[in-house]
Structures are given as C-alpha cells and as structure tokens.
Amino acid sequence: MNISIFFIILSLINFFLYKNLNQLSKNFNIYDIPDNDRKLHKIEVPLLGGIFIFFSFLLYLFFLILSPSHSLLQDLNFINLKNFISFFICCFSLLIVGIYDDKFNLNANIKLFLLASLIAITLSLNTELQINVLRFEVFNEINLGYLSLPFTILCILLFINAFNMFDGINMQSGLYSSIFFVYFLTSNAFVSLSIVMIISIIFFLINNSTSKLFLGDSGSIFISFLISMIIIHSYNDGYIRDVDTIFILMMLPGIDMFRLFILRIWKRSNPFKSDRNHLHHLLIINFGYKKTLFYIQLLIIIPILLSFLINKIFVAVTTILIYIFVIKSLYKKSKSF
C-alpha cells in the first residue's frame, strides 16, 4: 500500500472513531468525573484520547508489517525484531497501566513502580534506547558508563510525570505533543510515524477543544514515553546533536514540575498529590483560558526557535528566569500566598 493512501485511510478511520465517540465511550465506560475542585468541567468526559491515538500507532505498525515497500525495523530504527517487540510490549503495557489508572485511580506509588519496572525491562533489552554519552553544545561530552541505564530510566520517568502534570487544560498537551512531532519532521527523524501522530492528534484536538474528549493518563503516559523513545533514538543517531536541545524541548513542563515538587515538599505534602498551583492554573486565574493557552505555547515555541539562532544555554537560562518572574508576578497578582 502506498504511504499516501495509508494516510488518507488513517484520516478516515480517525474521523469515524471521533464521529462515533459517544457510542464508543459507553462501550469503554471510562470517564473523567467533575469534582468541583480540580476538575471543573460540567459533565462526565470520556478519557479515550490516548486509546484512539494508540490505535493510530497500531495501524501504522500493521501498515509497516504488511507493506513490502516499507521495513518495520528501518522505519522505527530498531536493529532487530526482538528489540521492537519489547518496545511494543512496553508501549502497550504502559497504555494498560494508564487505562487502569483512569478507571480505578491507581495509587501513585504503585503506578510509579509499574512504570519504572516496565521501562527498566525495556531499556535492559534495548541498549540502543539508552543514553550513553551526554553531548553539550559548548562543554566536553560526558560518558555515563554504568550509569547509562539508571540515568535513562530517570529521565524518561521525569518526562512522563512532567507531561502528565502539564496535561491540565484543554488542548495544552495535544499542542505540546504536536510541537515535538513537527520538530521530528523538520529534523527528518521518524517522518512517517510523526505524520501519523500529527493526524491523530489533530482529530483529538478538535474534540478536546470543546471538552468532548480528554487524553487521560493512558494517553499522557503512552505519548510521553513514545516521544522519549524518539528523542533518544534521534539523539543517539545524530538527528539531535546535543542535550541542550532536548532540555529546551522539554523545559517548560520540567521546570514547572520541579517548582511544584519543591513547593509541595516545603508544605510537607505528597509531591505527587495534585493541586491547582500549576503554571496554567495561575495563568487562567489572571488571564482566562484562551490567553493562557497562547502564552504557554509562546513559552515553548520561542525558545525552540531561538535555539537555532543563538547559544542554547543562554536561551535556557533566559527562559527559566522569565518563568520565575512570571510565577512570582502571578502569585503576587492572584494573592495565592
């Protein structure tokens, strides 16, 4: 099958899925229920965004397997079938953990243990997915040696958690995900997969923008893990030249997560306990939803664009200082403290 025809078929299937959202939601029976605290939407909203996006990913894999003109391992940069199978099993298992969490509210510590275990097993079987050397734009590179595996596991877990915490308002995580896949396209890395994900995310965003569908933990865990794998592959293969670039791509959710962890520990609270002190919550209080979404995209996109033109460390430090200034101004303005 021609890849262009596959993209058309994929779009039609996504259209069908989202057109029949109500019936599918009843079959899955996984909803986000408003609580008038953190969840302020008016009605129960299906948590099927991640399942639908994973289904597009699954269709893409079937296309690669069935199409004689494409190689599964070549398109996904895996050196052998065993490595791909372990990767796919991990993706599917992480999705299941997320679905269970969406439906039954899994304990945070148990969820962390499951995620860490699944990722550790996958990385142990796939050394190509480990970060072995830290290459910087200016400084000398650092060889991680035996720290490669634990460092990679930690990085992936931090990004999964940061992405999950970033998924707080409509369209935010969808737009952030699409920025990654557009970046992969411009870097000529995982082109076909990136187009598949962008198509699926566009359909998700259409429904998410009107609170008809949420991503859910299943979606945030799967997408953030997939992005992490593509980032590592692209870095190891030279499509991404230095860790400075990766830091800038992942910076905003990361520094917001770090601030929240410090704040919660300072208040002697569980660092994984949800609250309404996220950047997007503070912005919404002061500027409303539309401006919040716009400002956050600017805080993500502008540093990425500037990193192509000027020193990445300067861009990162400047962005962090702007973030600190914005947070202090928002707290002062909203009198949250």
Side-chain angles (χ1 to χ4, degrees):
M1 183 191 298
N2 183 278
I3 188 69
S4 300
I5 295 174
F6 168 74
F7 289 145
I8 294 171
I9 294 173
L10 178 70
S11 299
L12 292 173
I13 291 174
N14 272 277
F15 178 78
F16 172 80
L17 289 175
Y18 290 104
K19 197 71 175 176
N20 293 274
L21 177 61
N22 291 334
Q23 184 57 49
L24 291 168
S25 301
K26 292 176 183 177
N27 294 337
F28 280 96
N29 193 30
I30 304 176
Y31 293 92
D32 192 42
I33 301 172
D35 59 9
N36 295 318
D37 180 19
R38 290 190 310 108
K39 304 175 181 182
L40 302 180
H41 44 280
K42 305 299 182 184
I43 59 173
E44 296 181 349
V45 180
L47 291 168
L48 300 182
I51 297 174
F52 288 173
I53 292 172
F54 183 84
F55 184 70
S56 293
F57 173 69
L58 200 60
L59 287 175
Y60 171 67
L61 298 183
F62 278 123
F63 165 76
L64 293 181
I65 292 171
L66 298 175
S67 176
S69 60
H70 286 77
S71 166
L72 179 81
L73 300 180
Q74 183 178 348
D75 270 42
L76 294 177
N77 281 21
F78 282 98
I79 58 176
N80 57 50
L81 190 59
K82 182 198 78 173
N83 286 14
F84 164 73
I85 291 173
S86 63
F87 162 75
F88 174 76
I89 290 174
C90 184
C91 286
F92 182 71
S93 300
L94 291 173
L95 180 80
I96 296 301
V97 171
I99 291 173
Y100 187 90
D101 188 31
D102 287 332
K103 196 168 180 67
F104 300 108
N105 195 21
L106 188 62
N107 177 274
N109 293 329
I110 294 175
K111 181 169 71 171
L112 180 63
F113 172 77
L114 290 172
L115 296 181
S117 299
L118 289 167
I119 293 168
I121 292 170
T122 303
L123 295 182
S124 298
L125 295 172
N126 292 266
T127 55
E128 65 196 271
L129 294 176
Q130 296 181 24
I131 303 169
N132 298 304
V133 177
L134 298 180
R135 299 189 303 269
F136 298 93
E137 184 181 35
V138 176
F139 306 112
N140 293 330
E141 63 180 38
I142 300 173
N143 196 316
L144 293 174
Y146 64 89
L147 293 176
S148 176
L149 178 60
F151 177 80
T152 309
I153 295 170
L154 177 63
C155 288
I156 295 172
L157 286 174
L158 286 173
F159 181 63
I160 289 175
N161 196 73
F163 189 96
N164 184 265
M165 293 172 71
F166 195 65
D167 182 28
I169 60 175
N170 289 353
M171 300 184 70
Q172 183 163 277
S173 56
L175 288 172
Y176 183 50
S177 302
S178 64
I179 289 171
F180 274 102
F181 291 109
V182 169
Y183 182 86
F184 297 146
L185 279 177
T186 60
S187 302
N188 202 32
F190 295 82
V191 173
S192 298
L193 177 58
S194 296
I195 295 173
V196 167
M197 297 304 292
I198 289 170
I199 290 172
S200 187
I201 289 169
I202 287 172
F203 279 97
F204 165 73
L205 285 170
I206 292 170
N207 288 273
N208 183 238
S209 64
T210 54
S211 293
K212 293 180 181 177
L213 181 67
F214 289 165
L215 193 60
D217 275 1
S218 59
S220 66
I221 291 172
F222 163 65
I223 292 175
S224 55
F225 177 73
L226 182 63
I227 289 172
S228 299
M229 294 298 95
I230 296 177
I231 286 280
I232 293 171
H233 255 310
S234 301
Y235 175 73
N236 289 340
D237 292 343
Y239 292 104
I240 296 176
R241 290 182 295 179
D242 46 57
V243 294
D244 310 66
T245 300
I246 299 173
F247 180 80
I248 289 172
L249 285 167
M250 299 179 167
M251 178 169 51
L252 187 63
I255 57 178
D256 201 44
M257 175 189 68
F258 180 75
R259 175 184 64 86
L260 288 168
F261 274 13
I262 297 298
L263 184 63
R264 291 167 184 173
I265 292 171
W266 180 264
K267 291 183 174 182
R268 298 182 180 179
S269 176
N270 186 337
F272 295 101
K273 185 179 179 181
S274 302
D275 57 35
R276 294 185 60 80
N277 278 311
H278 297 239
L279 173 63
H280 48 264
H281 292 137
L282 298 175
L283 285 169
I284 283 177
I285 291 172
N286 291 278
F287 300 105
Y289 165 71
K290 290 183 179 179
K291 287 184 178 180
T292 293
L293 197 63
F294 177 71
Y295 291 150
I296 286 178
Q297 300 316 306
L298 285 183
L299 282 171
I300 295 170
I301 294 172
I302 290 178
I304 294 173
L305 295 177
L306 288 175
S307 68
F308 288 102
L309 304 174
I310 57 180
N311 182 274
K312 294 184 182 73
I313 296 177
F314 176 78
V315 172
V317 171
T318 303
T319 305
I320 292 171
L321 291 175
I322 291 172
Y323 169 85
I324 293 171
F325 172 78
V326 168
I327 288 294
K328 289 183 67 175
S329 300
L330 290 172
Y331 272 132
K332 187 175 180 181
K333 188 173 181 180
S334 60
K335 297 180 180 179
S336 296
F337 276 12

